[in-house]
């Protein structure tokens, strides 16, 4: 047993930040140890409920394999324990050497999903600006930012959780919320009880599709064509919000003309859907006006026509009049907190960010350097070399596409530092592995923009020598000589106070109300009084900004890679990354009761395909793409569960079971640079040896 809880006995209400749902939790402490975690009833996000991973935070925090001491790689390639002070001193010296040899811009940081997309992400961003490098890398290169860019272009905001509760028609595109976002389900179920129609668009049968009024099963990567088909139908049947379109939009006529070609028959030809199902979907949307919701999951971002597919879906939302409406797609107002990024103070205009020349929109909208391009720069194939990298909260050697290349790049760096809870595949390549505080050992602000709510999480536990992210960046900044100026706060609690100052909310208020509070009442139809936060201030069916950068102005439909470059050698299509309830990417496979539920990676396939291959349940199957090959056991699904020709492998498995040995880093969305993680053409063969060695 290690660590000291901040009280010996009692309950501390805080926030679970194992995933971006950020549920309220009550941590029950007994004799200085966290004994139980339950759902906080007063928190509006989850109202007392939790997913199985919530209580399992205890298994992670007190896991026997948890890293508690800094590790340094020795000459023989294994690790020695050293003190934190020695580790920090040596890291500082080695960063200094990289600066001397290559310049400051050759230092990069990489931020993972485990630390979230908010406050923790701002520390490395601030650190890099203060240092003088533009090279911030993160999961934002393959998660959520394509949706953000698409919605920002069209309407100036992306609401990560529309108003499901008051909707009359809900369309979910490539997402499975009972597994991935369970907090959506209470509202979706409530809307359904009141008669709302639920339409699921997913090639596979999933937990949510079983509850749908209509389940459309398009071929992957064809959603854009379906969105255009629905727009055509709404326009032709006069089911759209004319007042909104005429007063608050640009490019409608151009879009309406383009939409005409997407008749139900044409869309059916592209998507494989029956034409009457497409028309039925259009009728359900038309009947729900304007309380309609289109929510897009991550899978559309993992197609190389993702941004335009999402833009087309956003256009469909505007057409229905759902913009900033109750029961539609409200426009969240931000909490006016301070910003940590230093982007205004230190614009750093004279440094070329890696990847920005190839994907200017990604950098312009999100100050994100494309990680695939960064990996190339580490391998010496960029505009200048990246030589030092600090990774925190991520495991890219498992989760990025083409992991063999990522591993090669990381292994060749002058310096790799990884802040981790466990010795992951990424940490194993590091020169220094630093034990990191988990979410339960830090305190940060959580903003739930969709209902304009803020909560403050609290430290429940402290482990000697295991420091939080803020303390790490602060210490490094001080050692490098710019700490006093840019990291003046002693603790994260002081940062929280500084961030909140302009809002008039004191941390104490949030501590007294651990469920948090509304920071501004939600208002609708604000676009009537203020311009939308995009270039024109109006709803943009067509984008001048993109046109000036040389992209088509309309979110035109482009055939997916596998249709354009049909390859005889790779006749199956791989969908990757369908989530499992008990795992988060590469996390939690070290929790035995979770591991028993899903002991190993599997390839899920249709019984007809299994028969063609001569594969029975559990037989080893070799799956090969253009870039790699893995062997894993077959899980044969029911007739209906997946379309013939499609297979699914969940990501996050180590070694041989890792689907990212097959996924592409070279085929990307031209606007966002997101990689192709789904619709990957593959070949399947029954592997010779049972037990599966290659
Ligand atoms: N338990 C658990 N929850 C998680 C995560 C986790 O790892 N585990 N990860 C979290 C994170 S970071 C994210 S980004 C979210 C992602 O969560 P979601 O956005 O809900 O994504 P998935 O659950 O992967 O569901 C994607 C679905 O899209 C379908 N699909 C694949 N390709 C296409 C396509 O081209 N078109 C359409 N229409 N459908 C397609 C797949 O069959 C699959 O059922 O989940 C979050 N929640
Ligand atoms: N093929 C395929 N690949 C995918 C996806 C897919 O659908 N298909 N999905 C992609 C998506 S959407 C995402 S978001 C990425 C996620 O990719 P990553 O961000 O790499 O996600 P994880 O594997 O969860 O890695 C998180 C790591 O942080 C560690 N950790 C946990 N808590 C803390 C903490 O408090 N501090 C620190 N310092 N470390 C901590 C964990 O031990 C874990 O090793 O994966 C992507 N990869
Ligand atoms: S969904 Fe589960 S893991 Fe995510 S915040 Fe809620 S309890 Fe934690
Ligand atoms: Mo993600």
């Amino acid at each position: 047993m290690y660590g000291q809880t901040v009280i010996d006995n009692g309950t501390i209400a805080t926030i679970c930040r194992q995933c971006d749902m950020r549920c309220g939790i009550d941590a029950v402490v007994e004799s200085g140890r966290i004994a139980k975690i339950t759902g906080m009833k007063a928190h509006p996000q989850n109202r007392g409920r939790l997913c199985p991973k919530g209580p399992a935070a205890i298994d992670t925090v007190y896991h026997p394999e948890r890293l508690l001491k800094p590790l340094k790689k020795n000459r023989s390639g294994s690790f020695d324990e050293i003190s934190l002070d020695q580790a920090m001193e040596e890291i500082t010296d080695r960063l200094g050497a990289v600066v001397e040899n290559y310049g400051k811009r050759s230092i990069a940081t990489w931020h993972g999903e485990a630390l979230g997309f908010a406050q923790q992400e701002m520390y490395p961003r601030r650190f890099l600006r203060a240092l003088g490098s533009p090279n911030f890398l993160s999961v934002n290169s393959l998660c959520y930012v394509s949706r953000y860019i698409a919605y920002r272009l069209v309407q100036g905001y992306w609401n990560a959780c529309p108003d499901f509760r008051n909707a009359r028609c809900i369309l979910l595109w490539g997402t499975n919320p009972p597994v991935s976002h369970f907090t959506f389900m209470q509202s979706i179920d409530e809307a359904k009880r009141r008669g709302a129609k639920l339409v699921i668009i997913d090639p596979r049968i999933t937990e949510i599709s079983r509850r749908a009024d209509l389940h459309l099963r398009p071929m992957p990567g064809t959603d854009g064509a379906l969105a255009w088909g629905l727009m055509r139908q709404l326009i032709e049947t006069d089911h759209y919000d004319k007042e909104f379109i005429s007063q608050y939009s640009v490019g409608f006529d151009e879009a309406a003309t383009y939409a005409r070609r997407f008749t139900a028959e044409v869309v059916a030809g592209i998507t494989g859907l029956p034409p009457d199902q497409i028309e039925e979907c259009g009728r359900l949307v038309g009947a729900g006006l304007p309380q309609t919701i289109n929510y897009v999951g991550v899978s559309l971002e993992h197609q190389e026509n993702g941004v335009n597919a999402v833009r087309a879906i956003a256009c469909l939302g505007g057409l229905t009049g759902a913009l900033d409406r109750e029961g539609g797609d409200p426009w969240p107002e931000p909490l006016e907190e301070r910003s940590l990024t230093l982007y205004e103070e230190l614009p750093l205009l004279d440094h070329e960010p890696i990847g920005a020349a190839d994907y200017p929109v990604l950098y312009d909208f999100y100050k994100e350097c494309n990680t695939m391009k960064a990996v190339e720069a580490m391998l010496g194939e960029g505009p200048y070399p990246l030589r030092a990298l600090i990774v925190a909260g991520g495991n890219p050697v498992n989760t990025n596409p083409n992991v063999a290349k990522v591993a090669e790049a990381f292994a060749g760096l002058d310096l790799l530092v990884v802040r981790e809870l466990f010795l992951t595949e990424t940490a194993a390549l590091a020169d220094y592995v630093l034990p990191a505080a988990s979410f339960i050992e830090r305190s940060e602000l959580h903003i739930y923009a969709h209902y304009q709510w803020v909560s403050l999480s609290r430290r429940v536990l402290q482990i000697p020598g295991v420091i939080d992210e803020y303390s790490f960046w602060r210490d490094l900044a001080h050692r490098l000589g710019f700490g006093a100026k840019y990291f003046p706060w002693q603790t994260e609690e002081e940062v929280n106070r500084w961030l909140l100052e302009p809002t008039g909310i004191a941390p104490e208020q949030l501590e007294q109300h651990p469920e948090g509070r509304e920071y501004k009442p939600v208002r609708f139809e604000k676009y009537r009084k203020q311009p939308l936060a995009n270039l024109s201030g109006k709803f943009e069916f067509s984008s001048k900004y993109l046109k000036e950068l040389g992209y088509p102005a309309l979110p035109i439909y482009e055939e997916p890679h596998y249709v354009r470059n049909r390859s005889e050698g790779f006749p199956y299509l791989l969908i990757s990354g369908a989530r499992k309830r008990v795992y988060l990417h590469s996390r939690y496979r070290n929790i035995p009761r979770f591991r028993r539920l899903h002991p190993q990676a599997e390839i899920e396939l249709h019984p007809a395909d299994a028969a063609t291959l001569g594969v029975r349940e559990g037989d080893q199957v070799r799956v090969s793409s253009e870039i790699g090959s893995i062997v894993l056991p077959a899980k044969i699904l029911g007739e209906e569960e997946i379309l013939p020709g499609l297979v699914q492998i969940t990501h996050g498995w180590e070694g041989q079971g890792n689907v990212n040995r097959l996924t592409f880093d070279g085929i990307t969305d031209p606007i966002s640079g997101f990689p192709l993680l789904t619709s990957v053409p593959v070949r399947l063969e029954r592997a010779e040896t049972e037990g599966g060695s290659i």
Side-chain angles (χ1 to χ4, degrees), residues 53 113 143 147 173-176 179-181 201-204 206 220-221 223 297-300 303 575 577-581 583-585 678:
K53 300 178 292 303
E113 204 282 330
C143 178
R147 283 173 282 181
W173 302 74
T175 179
N176 185 21
V179 173
S180 61
H181 297 109
I201 303 154
D202 192 318
R204 301 182 317 124
T206 60
D223 301 80
V298 79
S299 57
L300 269 64
Q303 306 285 356
I575 292 180
R579 271 65 179 151
K580 301 282 184 246
R581 193 173 254 109
Y583 294 140
L584 264 159
H585 314 295
T678 197

Side-chain angles (χ1 to χ4, degrees), residues 360-361 535 543-553:
V361 183
L535 195 69
S543 167
K544 211 171 138 210
Y545 166 87
L546 285 183
K547 196 171 177 190
E548 278 168 10
L549 285 170
Y551 299 103

Side-chain angles (χ1 to χ4, degrees), residues 52 158 164 303:
W158 180 54
F164 293 117
Q303 306 285 356

Side-chain angles (χ1 to χ4, degrees), residues 177-317:
V179 173
S180 61
H181 297 109
F182 92 90
T183 55
F184 290 2
M185 289 314 298
Q186 222 161 3
S187 310
I188 293 177
D189 288 340
E190 210 175 288
K192 260 182 78 71
R193 277 196 295 278
R194 283 211 319 272
K197 298 295 179 205
L198 179 63
V199 180
I200 301 304
I201 303 154
D202 192 318
R204 301 182 317 124
I205 290 205
T206 60
E207 209 171 312
I208 188 82
S209 77
R210 294 182 201 277
R211 307 191 201 179
D213 296 287
L214 180 64
H215 180 191
L216 301 182
R217 306 181 70 182
M219 284 302 284
T222 62
D223 301 80
L226 177 59
W228 278 110
L230 295 174
M231 281 197 268
R232 182 204 61 87
Q233 191 176 336
L234 293 180
I235 296 168
E236 286 188 3
T237 58
D238 231 7
H239 280 95
Y240 67 100
D241 189 332
K242 291 204 193 70
E243 190 245 359
F244 174 72
I245 298 301
S246 66
Q247 290 196 42
Y248 301 105
S249 78
V250 294
F252 174 71
D253 293 341
E254 212 184 319
T257 306
Y258 180 70
R260 260 183 232 138
R261 71 189 72 175
F262 291 92
T263 61
E265 288 66 31
V266 167
V267 176
I270 296 172
T271 58
L273 295 168
D276 58 328
Q277 269 193 8
I278 300 165
E279 284 170 351
E280 169 65 5
C281 181
R283 276 192 293 276
L284 289 179
V285 175
L289 252 53
Q291 282 91 4
T292 56
I293 283 177
N294 285 279
Y295 175 82
V296 183
V298 79
S299 57
L300 269 64
E301 299 187 299
H302 294 166
Q303 306 285 356
E304 32 69 86
N305 56 13
V307 171
N308 275 342
V310 183
R311 277 177 74 212
I313 295 167
C315 289
L316 172 65

Side-chain angles (χ1 to χ4, degrees), residues 17 60 110-115 117 139 142-144 298 301-302 391-396 398-401 419-422 424 436-439 442 469 576-579 584-587 649 651-652 658-660 663 677:
R17 206 313 163 181
T60 298
W110 190 312
H111 179 86
E113 204 282 330
L115 288 167
F117 302 91
V139 283
L142 47 66
C143 178
Y144 130 72
V298 79
E301 299 187 299
H302 294 166
V391 180
N395 187 9
N398 182 299
T399 53
N400 244 51
R419 288 186 45 77
E420 250 301 343
L421 308 188
F422 299 104
T424 59
S438 76
F439 76 93
R442 59 175 188 259
E469 299 304 313
S576 82
R579 271 65 179 151
L584 264 159
H585 314 295
S586 70
R587 278 175 268 165
I649 304 175
H651 67 302
N658 189 346
V659 70
N660 286 324
T663 53
L677 295 180

